[in-house]
Amino acid sequence: MKKFNLRNLNKVFFSFLIIISFLSANLFCETAEPYKDDEFPQVFKDLRRAEIITLGSMPFITFTVSLGWSFGRVVQNGGDFGYFVNPFSKSTTSNFTTDEQVGIILTSLGISAGIGLTDFIYHIIKRNQKTKKVVQQSGTIIINPVTEDKDAVKLEKPDLPPPPDDNNFPPVPIEPTEDIIEISEE
């Protein structure tokens, strides 16, 4: 007789739960309606942008901070490159300590959050300056030529065939008719 094993029951339960969650998501989902331009305030859009920049820069910043931390270890130990931790090495002989790993993660998180916050503040200031500029114009709209706008992109005009020559047709004379109504000023 087979012995009842709780570990096998957990595996079956979680497998069943995962299968049901994937099936229910496909069976009961509806096509999402795209967002409208005015659905979210601009501040939320800016915060989302800052979040994406913060989380997107995290791996690159963490790599750079770990390299800097490794070079810091080398400098602290008198230039001995035996203390350098190669981030691509699979060896476990010269790894960072737990305190160093926490320091690297916190430093990279702070730098990434600083980059995201800087981008957030920059876009708010830039938008406020544009708004202030429009308000100061007191209702006058100024259209700048493409040559004066440094951010504009000038598109070249495509080569089109020449327009047909309308002078080939003789003029059609218009003859007056007797149905002309005269308007008199009284």
Side-chain angles (χ1 to χ4, degrees):
M1 182 171 174
K2 206 170 192 179
K3 191 175 178 184
F4 178 74
N5 191 351
L6 186 61
R7 182 171 282 168
N8 288 338
L9 182 64
N10 283 342
K11 289 180 184 177
V12 170
F13 175 73
F14 285 116
S15 300
F16 180 73
L17 186 64
I18 289 171
I19 290 171
I20 292 298
S21 65
F22 282 123
L23 287 177
S24 65
N26 290 335
L27 291 175
F28 301 112
C29 71
E30 296 179 11
T31 304
E33 182 179 321
Y35 292 126
K36 295 174 181 63
D37 288 339
D38 60 345
E39 192 163 350
F40 294 107
Q42 188 61 41
V43 173
F44 290 151
K45 292 178 185 177
D46 290 341
L47 282 173
R48 178 66 176 151
R49 177 186 164 95
E51 175 191 10
I52 290 170
I53 288 174
T54 299
L55 294 177
S57 67
M58 186 73 176
F60 303 105
I61 300 297
T62 303
F63 174 72
T64 307
V65 167
S66 66
L67 283 178
W69 208 281
S70 293
F71 282 117
R73 284 177 67 179
V74 169
V75 169
Q76 283 179 346
N77 293 301
D80 183 13
F81 274 93
Y83 290 96
F84 182 78
V85 178
N86 183 0
F88 298 114
S89 174
K90 291 185 178 183
S91 70
T92 57
T93 56
S94 63
N95 286 334
F96 291 116
T97 64
T98 305
D99 291 337
E100 289 175 327
Q101 289 176 359
V102 169
I104 289 171
I105 295 297
L106 290 177
T107 303
S108 61
L109 183 63
I111 293 171
S112 297
I115 290 171
L117 184 63
T118 302
D119 180 75
F120 177 72
I121 292 170
Y122 171 77
H123 281 283
I124 287 178
I125 291 171
K126 188 176 177 183
R127 189 172 304 106
N128 286 342
Q129 285 177 348
K130 282 185 180 180
T131 306
K132 193 182 288 184
K133 192 176 188 181
V134 169
V135 169
Q136 287 175 351
Q137 290 177 353
S138 68
T140 305
I141 298 176
I142 300 172
I143 299 175
N144 294 329
V146 174
T147 55
E148 293 179 10
D149 190 3
K150 66 178 180 175
D151 296 329
V153 177
K154 187 175 182 179
L155 300 175
E156 296 298 324
K157 199 173 193 181
D159 293 333
L160 298 174
D165 189 15
D166 292 337
N167 294 332
N168 292 339
F169 301 106
V172 178
I174 300 176
E175 298 179 14
T177 61
E178 297 176 12
D179 298 335
I180 297 177
I181 300 174
E182 291 186 23
I183 300 176
S184 60
E185 295 181 15
E186 296 180 12

